Amino acid sequence: MGPEAQAFIVFSLGMLVFMGTGMNMGLALVLTGAGMAWVLDFFDTQLLAQNLVAGVDSFPLLAVPFFILAGELMNSGGISRRIIDMAQAWVGHIRGGLGYVAIGAAVLMASMSGSALADTAALATILLPMMRQQGYPMNTSAGLIASGGIIAPIIPPSMPFVIYGVTTNTSISALFVSGIVPGLMMGVGLIFAWRWVLRGIDLPDSRPALPLRERLHATRKAFWAMLMPLIIIGGMKSGVFTPTEAAVVAAFYALAVALFVHREMKVPEIYGVLVRAAKTTAIVMFLCAGAQVASYMITLADLPTVLTGWLGPLVENPRLLMAVMMVVLVLIGTALDLTPTILIFAPVMLPIAVKAGIDPVYFGLMFVLNGAIGLITPPVGTVLNVVAGVGRISMHSVIKGVNPFLLTYVFILALLVVFPQLVTMPVHWMR
């Protein structure tokens, strides 16, 4: 058995063992990379340290802490609540209206923060108590909010796209544009799924529709919130700033709105927001550092070439290869969170996809979409845990409630495999 095959075995078994013991994922990646270096007779502590630093020494990665900070400022400064109030003003009177409010607010908030966990927590905190009070079934309501929360990694600005772009050297701007159509498809798909689910639910009578004056008033209050995605996307499209600079603009814009427009945040509260953002940033950055160690050893062992040899004839059929990869990624997504999935498997799978003639931006969108679906897929289901914790609902109930929406996403995934033009055409327009 050659050293490359031994390195692959060390990588596979190492990750399984470390994940099984509940070890921190960043540390597991470092130890797995060190084990591969030992097998390849390339072990050097100085080299490991250099790769750890290189994993976070990246200008594009600066977008991550600033988008995290923007999300925290949105939730603390009243921006998220105003978006939900506006959606409720326009569609809250429809039967099952709070569900449509959740979907509309999820799409709008996704275009601002790029964090599934932050958006889900905000939606669940505000809407679940209202749904419980109005007699909505909690399992279905929690499942809908969890499903809406994972639109955030797809619609720009998206932190997973930033991490994927840095990890694979893919254009982050192109990745952002690639997520617009699929993200909107996810929102529309949830609307149809929610309407189908409502058929078997006995809900109380809807409240009367609000007068047009009150609807416009709610929209006016949300004006500054809705301006944020226009500034971000418009600035990148016109070349005024890069995705990394867009994250800084988003954070400072959210801070200015929270302090001087809405005035719902006081200066002393900024410290707590910065601490929460710093804690989340530290987790993500340590994952990036550990992944760089493993990624370096994966490249050294030439594992993509080994996997390409195993896949054989599938390389000649791009759509079949993509379908197989999507199935593999769905299975991986049930066991790993989105960021580790990107950091571990994107560098391995992308060279295979490129060799088969698959557009790297399209593959990146599909990769992140699969990982996002994994956030609402047990047993890990990070977003499911957030909803269950915030709503004080059992995990079993949330899993049961998310199933109809999960099937909707699988159908959208299949559509994107069959019709990649839904992703590639907007990207070509951007270029």
Side-chain angles (χ1 to χ4, degrees):
M1 182 183 297
E4 290 81 7
Q6 293 178 22
F8 179 78
I9 293 173
V10 169
F11 173 74
S12 303
L13 291 181
M15 291 306 300
L16 287 174
V17 171
F18 292 138
M19 285 191 299
T21 59
M23 181 181 291
N24 176 276
M25 186 59 64
L27 183 57
L29 287 166
V30 174
L31 294 178
T32 302
M36 294 172 66
W38 187 274
V39 169
L40 294 169
D41 196 23
F42 212 76
F43 185 82
D44 184 347
T45 54
Q46 184 176 355
L47 183 65
L48 294 178
Q50 288 174 346
N51 277 280
L52 278 171
V53 174
V56 294
D57 185 17
S58 169
F59 177 75
L61 269 184
L62 281 174
V64 172
F66 283 104
F67 277 133
I68 291 173
L69 179 59
E72 292 286 349
L73 290 167
M74 282 174 52
N75 293 338
S76 300
I79 296 176
S80 301
R81 181 171 53 78
R82 281 171 168 75
I83 293 172
I84 293 174
D85 290 345
M86 183 190 68
Q88 188 174 3
W90 285 99
V91 299
H93 63 282
I94 304 172
R95 183 177 181 271
L98 285 179
Y100 298 116
V101 169
I103 297 168
V107 172
L108 288 173
M109 290 170 62
S111 65
M112 301 176 197
S113 75
S115 169
L117 298 183
D119 285 9
T120 303
L123 290 170
T125 301
I126 298 173
L127 288 175
L128 275 182
M130 297 171 62
M131 291 176 136
R132 180 181 281 117
Q133 184 180 12
Q134 295 188 25
Y136 284 72
M138 280 295 95
N139 59 343
T140 306
S141 302
L144 175 65
I145 288 175
S147 302
I150 68 166
I151 298 177
I154 307 303
I155 290 183
S158 162
M159 286 190 296
F161 279 152
V162 173
I163 295 171
Y164 180 92
V166 172
T167 304
T168 62
N169 198 28
T170 305
S171 168
I172 296 174
S173 297
L175 288 168
F176 277 4
V177 175
S178 73
I180 296 175
V181 173
L184 295 176
M185 289 174 64
M186 292 170 75
V188 173
L190 287 183
I191 291 175
F192 283 104
W194 180 243
R195 290 190 63 179
W196 182 79
V197 168
L198 286 178
R199 296 184 309 168
I201 298 177
D202 184 22
L203 292 176
D205 294 335
S206 303
R207 70 176 191 179
L210 292 177
L212 180 61
R213 176 181 296 178
E214 293 188 28
R215 294 184 182 186
L216 293 176
H217 178 66
T219 304
R220 218 168 24 247
K221 291 175 67 177
F223 169 78
W224 294 100
M226 296 177 64
L227 196 60
M228 183 188 289
L230 296 179
I231 293 173
I232 294 172
I233 301 300
M236 289 190 297
K237 177 67 176 70
S238 60
V240 175
F241 41 72
T242 66
T244 304
E245 294 162 347
V248 180
V249 171
F252 275 94
Y253 179 84
L255 178 63
V257 171
L259 286 176
F260 305 117
V261 180
H262 296 162
R263 298 181 181 178
E264 292 195 12
M265 180 185 291
K266 306 300 181 184
V267 173
E269 297 175 6
I270 297 176
Y271 176 78
V273 172
L274 291 174
V275 169
R276 291 194 297 272
K279 288 179 179 179
T280 306
T281 299
I283 295 171
V284 175
M285 288 304 182
F286 185 59
L287 277 170
C288 293
Q292 176 62 27
V293 176
S295 178
Y296 182 83
M297 296 305 163
I298 286 171
T299 303
L300 198 66
D302 203 17
L303 293 189
T305 302
V306 174
L307 290 178
T308 302
W310 289 353
L311 290 172
L314 292 181
V315 176
E316 305 299 326
N317 191 328
R319 287 189 179 177
L320 180 59
L321 176 64
M322 178 63 77
V324 171
M325 284 185 166
M326 294 304 100
V327 172
V328 172
L329 285 172
V330 167
L331 295 175
I332 292 171
T334 63
L336 283 179
D337 210 341
L338 177 54
T339 300
T341 301
I342 295 172
L343 293 170
I344 298 170
F345 294 99
V348 178
M349 291 186 167
L350 180 60
I352 302 172
V354 171
K355 187 172 183 179
I358 298 172
D359 185 280
V361 175
Y362 167 68
F363 181 78
L365 178 277
M366 298 297 284
F367 193 105
V368 173
L369 177 56
N370 269 275
I373 292 174
L375 296 175
I376 57 170
T377 307
V380 176
T382 311
V383 168
L384 298 181
N385 282 290
V386 171
V387 175
V390 172
R392 298 181 180 178
I393 308 168
S394 70
M395 178 61 76
H396 175 74
S397 297
V398 180
I399 292 172
K400 181 181 178 182
V402 84
N403 285 333
F405 312 110
L406 186 59
L407 291 174
T408 301
Y409 283 161
V410 171
F411 175 71
I412 291 173
L413 194 63
L415 279 179
L416 294 175
V417 171
V418 177
F419 302 106
Q421 298 84 358
L422 293 170
V423 177
T424 56
M425 287 182 65
V427 175
H428 289 319
W429 171 81
M430 174 74 175
R431 291 171 176 170

